[in-house]
Amino acid sequence: MSSFAIDRARHMLATGLFSAVLFYAAPLHAQQCTVLPKQVKLGETLRITCPAEFTSAKLNERSAQLYLQPDGKRFGLLPISVKDTPGTFSLAISRSGSGAPQTLRVVIRKTIFPSQNVKLAPEIEALHSTPEEMALLTSFRDNISETRSWADPLQPPVSGCMTSPFGVRRLHSGKPTGEYHGGVDQRTPEGEAIRAVAGGTITFAKQFNVLGNAVGIDHGQGLESMYLHMSRLVVAPRATVQRGAILGYAGSTGRSTGPHLHWVLYVNGINVNPAQWVKLQPCSGAAKKR
């Protein structure tokens, strides 16, 4: 065989081997999970996307189910609490059966939240939730449905600016409470319509001592929302609502100092920052970082 033929055969063999490597490597690469964002602030949510054989994810002691989506992939939400410890951690994603899990690196960033003093009249501050109300709220956070009724981005429930952001360290009449603001407050005139941030099923619509007239919605696959202090409600438990549906009207019922909307997002039972899900404009003079 001539040297030209030998060189050509070597070239074809090398090219074939390289093509074979690409052929087999591409499917392997395509089978990897992804997590966004890779660097997350306290109170934010991780979005995990995987091939169908992956079924759950775990970060430290917190787990999240991955749900099969219409495109054949798995998707799940894993919340980061405001009380979590910043640092670099391993996110373990498990497969069905005996397959080896995949591990991804996640950085939880140190996050500084502002402080805010709220002056409460003694009769308002004296309001407390009943054991029955606490049990209902616990059940709401703990029960997760598998049918997804939401899509990004969410819709703001009202148009008003944000008077108090998520994570604010609350003082009542100048005294530290040890509590943080688990949702956001938006400036809302008395009687303004309050709308659902996404489609879902009404879990509760009732009056509470502290929350006032409140509505809780299950949006499916770990996402829930809650709307407080309304003057009146126009929905009932177990009703199905669409994104933008009117739930009630703004007011100042319960532990409230004036008409506004306090609303909350839960991911798998943990309060998360709505500002990651929907664009909210701060009011001038709102709580600042200190």
Side-chain angles (χ1 to χ4, degrees):
M1 180 181 293
S2 67
S3 60
F4 174 80
I6 293 173
D7 290 341
R8 181 172 177 80
R10 288 173 176 171
H11 174 74
M12 292 177 66
L13 179 61
T15 302
L17 288 173
F18 180 70
S19 299
V21 169
L22 288 179
F23 178 81
Y24 288 107
L28 289 175
H29 178 73
Q31 296 303 307
Q32 300 304 300
C33 297
T34 60
V35 58
L36 292 173
K38 296 180 180 179
Q39 293 193 18
V40 64
K41 296 179 181 179
L42 295 175
E44 291 189 340
T45 303
L46 297 174
R47 289 166 165 81
I48 304 161
T49 304
C50 290
E53 66 266 25
F54 292 90
T55 57
S56 64
K58 186 174 183 180
L59 183 69
N60 297 328
E61 297 305 313
R62 187 173 298 131
S63 299
Q65 184 176 343
L66 305 181
Y67 298 91
L68 192 62
Q69 305 298 310
D71 63 2
K73 295 180 180 179
R74 295 266 181 178
F75 176 80
L77 303 170
L78 198 149
I80 304 299
S81 171
V82 296
K83 299 178 180 179
D84 285 348
T85 302
T88 301
F89 303 94
S90 294
L91 175 69
I93 309 176
S94 300
R95 304 173 190 258
S96 58
S98 58
Q102 182 183 342
T103 301
L104 298 175
R105 177 177 171 270
V106 172
V107 176
I108 300 177
R109 296 168 55 188
K110 181 180 178 181
T111 310
I112 299 175
F113 294 104
S115 297
Q116 187 178 50
N117 182 48
V118 178
K119 294 182 180 180
L120 297 176
E123 63 272 17
I124 297 295
E125 192 166 11
L127 294 173
H128 296 285
S129 299
T130 67
E132 292 77 16
E133 290 173 345
M134 296 299 293
L136 174 59
L137 295 174
T138 298
S139 175
F140 170 65
R141 292 190 297 265
D142 289 349
N143 289 301
I144 298 171
S145 63
E146 296 194 2
T147 301
R148 177 172 170 174
S149 302
W150 61 273
D152 286 314
L154 303 183
Q155 171 180 305
V158 293
S159 59
C161 59
M162 183 171 56
T163 59
S164 182
F166 174 88
V168 164
R169 291 170 292 174
R170 277 290 172 84
L171 293 83
H172 285 176
S173 302
K175 298 178 181 179
T177 64
E179 300 175 352
Y180 72 93
H181 197 217
V184 298
D185 289 346
Q186 286 185 258
R187 182 170 292 161
T188 313
E190 180 88 24
E192 180 175 338
I194 308 300
R195 300 178 183 274
V197 298
T201 302
I202 304 296
T203 302
F204 63 81
K206 69 183 299 289
Q207 185 175 20
F208 293 77
N209 286 346
V210 174
L211 310 185
N213 290 319
V215 171
I217 304 178
D218 178 7
H219 303 289
Q221 297 187 3
L223 183 66
E224 296 173 307
S225 61
M226 188 166 65
Y227 314 76
L228 315 181
H229 307 307
M230 287 186 265
S231 60
R232 65 185 180 96
L233 308 175
V234 297
V235 291
R238 295 181 295 278
T240 299
V241 294
Q242 302 300 316
R243 169 189 168 104
I246 296 177
L247 308 173
Y249 296 91
S252 185
T253 55
R255 188 183 286 175
S256 171
T257 59
H260 73 289
L261 174 66
H262 174 129
W263 65 284
V264 184
L265 277 186
Y266 293 106
V267 169
N268 291 324
I270 302 293
N271 300 65
V272 297
N273 192 348
Q276 188 191 13
W277 295 76
V278 62
K279 186 175 182 180
L280 299 172
Q281 182 65 36
C283 299
S284 59
K288 303 295 184 183
K289 293 181 180 179
R290 296 180 183 178

